[in-house]
Amino acid sequence: MDSWSATSALFLAGFITSAAFRHFDSECYTANGEDYRGFQNQTSLHGGKPCLFWNETFQHPYNTLKYPNGEGGLGSHNYCRNPDGDVQPWCYIADHEDVTYWKYCDIPTCQMPGNLGCFKDTGHPPTLPGVHEISNKLTIQTCISFCRSQKYTLAGMESGYACFCGNEADLQDHVESSNMECNHVCFGDHTQPCGGDGWIIVFDVRVGACGGNYTSPTGVIYSPDFPDKYAASRVCYWTIQVAGSYAILFNFTFFDISDQTDMVELLDGYTREVVARFDWRSPPRGLVNITGDFVILYFFSDRTNQAHGFALLYQALRRQDTRTTIPRGSDEKESSTMGPQLSSSVTEGSNSTTNGRTSHILYVITSSPGKPEHNMPGQWAGRGETTGHSAMWTIYALAALLILTVVAMVAKLLLHVTVKTPNIPTVSGSDSCSQSTVTSEPWIILYRPSTISLFKKKLKNHHGDLSPLVGH
């Protein structure tokens, strides 16, 4: 019965997890779509040119012969990819236009949450009318940090070097355009898009913030300074507290931490117990399911070896989620509205396919909000519950005490016991230091703190010595 219950719990958790992330529509969580693993195989969905297969492009720098292990997502297919860290995914094409043998791919679903889109900027008035600055070292995060420090909620980049600030209301009268218009490289980082001539790419300033409080049922959290590399000596906390939820799912869609001491931790919000820890040696390998409605996300970086960090999706599970995800042979939609918004949506991981198949591995940290029947040693039993650690350490302590007692008894016995052997006769010789022909030379065991030494000790043989060890 116990094994059947455990199997049922894992199956249910896996099914709920799959259903919870199935309707997310974003396939990219990096600014340049380097993590895109979708299935678009033409430069545009409407009238685009077909892409060449990566295993047939040996005349070009990027092919499966040069990258046989799937580097950059290359393989025996013709899907758009970004193996060289360009500003967006691309592919090789057969028709050479202006001696160009490749083109960018216009992929509507490849837009990271927090990227609000590409907008036309006529300048009369500007799309984001707040403060602005120009810099020949502009990156997405430098602009975001500038606008965040000025208390704005939106940051926009234009022409690769101009940064504009504004608020949500400023975008109400503007229509989003294709990202193809905003693929000019940033002057400070040529792998990032920073708008175009007369086109501005807009981001939510919460992208890359060090800490924050999240109460929405779904959301996306990025490492500090994302999409730039996180800075040194960062200590950041995010709280995810969704009232009415019995579990929260976490999905790291992007994870790049290369230093030995940098880490990401998920803690129970009430007990502050570490539920899961990830670093360069043990990166996340699947979905994390944590029982409860309150989780703390912690990030730490030391002073060396910075990297690009992480992108994390979370999805709170409520009681009604279980009823709506029970298979009934129909594809009923969830009542909540999902989209690529930073704080109110979660999108499906880039490793999932359109037909529902996924390569994620589910592991359940705690599979039930109630008290488990049997707690394994080291298993977290939930808020307010005890674990098997105390029993284990009690047994270890008793065993150690017993061993110490036995050692002490043996040492005491060796300290007080003297072992004698019969007198050993010696043959008289021409030893100038000896006056007698026969000498008593017993063997004595002496105990010292660090060792037990066995050696031969010559006893005194003066006249009148009443020692019982001396024979007369």
Side-chain angles (χ1 to χ4, degrees), residues 200-237:
I200 184 171
I201 186 170
V202 181
F203 283 82
D204 191 310
V205 298
R206 286 172 292 184
V207 173
C210 182
N213 301 312
Y214 290 79
T215 58
S216 174
T218 60
V220 183
I221 302 175
Y222 294 100
S223 56
D225 309 312
F226 194 88
D228 296 355
K229 293 184 177 181
Y230 54 80
S233 303
R234 284 289 201 174
V235 179
C236 307
Y237 292 90

Side-chain angles (χ1 to χ4, degrees), residues 397-439:
L398 291 176
L401 182 59
L402 179 60
I403 294 174
L404 290 176
T405 302
V406 174
V407 171
M409 292 176 63
V410 173
K412 184 176 181 180
L413 181 62
L414 292 176
L415 181 63
H416 293 88
V417 173
T418 301
V419 179
K420 297 192 301 178
T421 60
N423 291 339
I424 303 174
T426 59
V427 180
S428 60
S430 60
D431 190 354
S432 62
C433 296
S434 176
Q435 297 180 356
S436 61
T437 59
V438 180
T439 306

